[in-house]
Amino acid sequence: MKVGILTGGGDCPGLNPAIRGAVMRLLDHGAEVIGFTHGWKGLVDGRAMPLTLDVVEPIISEGGTILRSSRTNPFKPGNEAQLEAVLANLKKFEIDALIACGGDDTLGVASKLYHQHGINTVGVPKTMDNDLSLTDYTFGFDSAANVALHAIDGLRDTAKSHERVIVIEVMGRHAGWVALYSAVASGADWVFIPEVEPDIDACAKHLNQIRARGKKWGIVIVSEGVELPVMAGAETELDAFGHKFLKDMFVGPTVAKEIAARTDFEVRDVVLGHIVRGGHPSLFDRMLGTRVGIKAADLVIDKDWGKMVALQGNDVLGVPIEDAVGNQKTVPIELYETLRTTFNK
Ligand code: F6P
């Protein structure tokens, strides 16, 4: 059996442990494994590398992906030639099964290849945004939230020294998981997440109150997908899957300006951006990546096509890819409300 693996979309820590787990399991079953590089682009261009034991053994602690990544979408209207190339290369490389590691977009392509073209695909969910349905966690999230947490801990020290408010913008697209978890765990004073209508006046009032009771510094966390009324109509480029490049929306700096206008605090802003996607995978993500990689290989060995590996409770199991994609897992309001005991009031 010859199996192809690719990683698409934004990279995140945990991809290499997942590749490693899948390859090691497949090799145990006598399969040949190759990696298509740069996501779906590798299949469009026919670019591949062998995935042997020597290649994958040392990569457990490496962030990013040894297979590289891209946001190529062969199903985008107008990209029909790309889709033909993908199908032709799957034949040319004599691929019996394809493991696609990605978020909603990459797995959406895998699902279409399976349902519309009969390609034997299996999906591995990854995203630091943690917004994929049917899986409790995606690898990448724990590592990213920890990087954000350590950065915020450091920024709190300088905020205290200079008696300032520091506004910190973190990635997370349209789900506030990274923002909420890093805010709660760092003891932030306020957090804006896309799931909750932003109330700048309430935030400023809270900051004025903490100042009045003698706390002369503050930390405000903003998820990149939050849209303030003053940002209405702001336009930015779209990627191949039709998503806005949120880095160009400047929500963190905008929140900082709005707070400065409403309080006596000196305000600074920091956009953590891609920093949170880098670095070594955490222990949790190394374990989760390894487990889902092994399970993806098992689905291939069992010829259980069209499935995505999901973590449910402490079990890893296969669920239909199409049930997981196109259905974002955002922060439940009840969770936000419960945690609000410690901030935003
Ligand atoms: O992987 C998802 C994500 O991290 C989002 O949180 C962010 O908006 C996006 O990727 C940015 O990706 P890039 O700049 O690499 O296209």
Side-chain angles (χ1 to χ4, degrees), residues 30-230:
E32 180 188 349
V33 196
I34 64 167
F36 291 101
T37 62
H38 306 91
W40 296 111
K41 192 166 189 326
L43 257 172
V44 172
D45 299 343
R47 267 188 289 170
M49 61 186 268
L51 287 174
T52 58
L53 190 57
D54 283 354
V55 172
V56 299
E57 201 168 25
I59 63 173
I60 185 104
S61 61
E62 275 179 42
T65 164
I66 57 161
L67 293 178
R68 311 293 179 248
S69 194
S70 73
R71 294 192 188 273
T72 305
N73 180 6
F75 283 94
K76 185 181 169 193
N79 285 359
E80 290 74 16
Q82 289 194 359
L83 180 58
E84 273 170 35
V86 166
L87 297 171
N89 278 320
L90 284 167
K91 276 212 181 87
K92 182 178 147 203
F93 283 88
E94 300 178 322
I95 296 300
D96 299 302
L98 185 66
I99 298 178
C101 310
D104 212 57
D105 299 330
T106 304
L107 297 183
V109 172
S111 179
K112 284 183 188 151
L113 281 177
Y114 171 65
H115 287 288
Q116 299 174 15
H117 299 276
I119 304 300
N120 298 332
T121 56
V122 162
V124 166
K126 73 81 229 185
T127 166
M128 53 142 286
D129 299 342
N130 199 35
D131 61 354
L132 261 169
S133 286
L134 296 186
T135 187
D136 293 348
Y137 286 97
T138 47
F139 60 74
F141 166 66
D142 184 69
S143 306
N146 270 295
V147 172
L149 175 64
H150 293 308
I152 298 164
D153 280 348
L155 289 164
R156 189 199 303 111
D157 294 342
T158 172
K160 265 189 197 172
S161 304
H162 288 267
E163 301 191 332
R164 288 170 173 156
V165 162
I166 301 193
V167 177
I168 301 149
E169 180 189 313
V170 297
M171 276 188 174
R173 215 185 275 272
H174 298 300
W177 293 104
V178 174
L180 181 65
Y181 273 47
S182 59
V184 172
S186 65
D189 299 284
W190 198 272
V191 57
F192 292 97
I193 59 173
E195 292 84 347
V196 177
E197 191 75 28
D199 189 341
I200 271 283
D201 290 327
C203 170
K205 188 173 163 211
H206 175 69
L207 293 172
N208 282 328
Q209 276 166 355
I210 64 170
R211 194 177 170 86
R213 68 171 153 82
K215 188 180 164 200
K216 295 280 192 284
W217 53 273
I219 294 291
V220 174
I221 309 298
V222 189
S223 189
E224 64 175 348
V226 169
E227 278 185 44
L228 297 181
V230 288

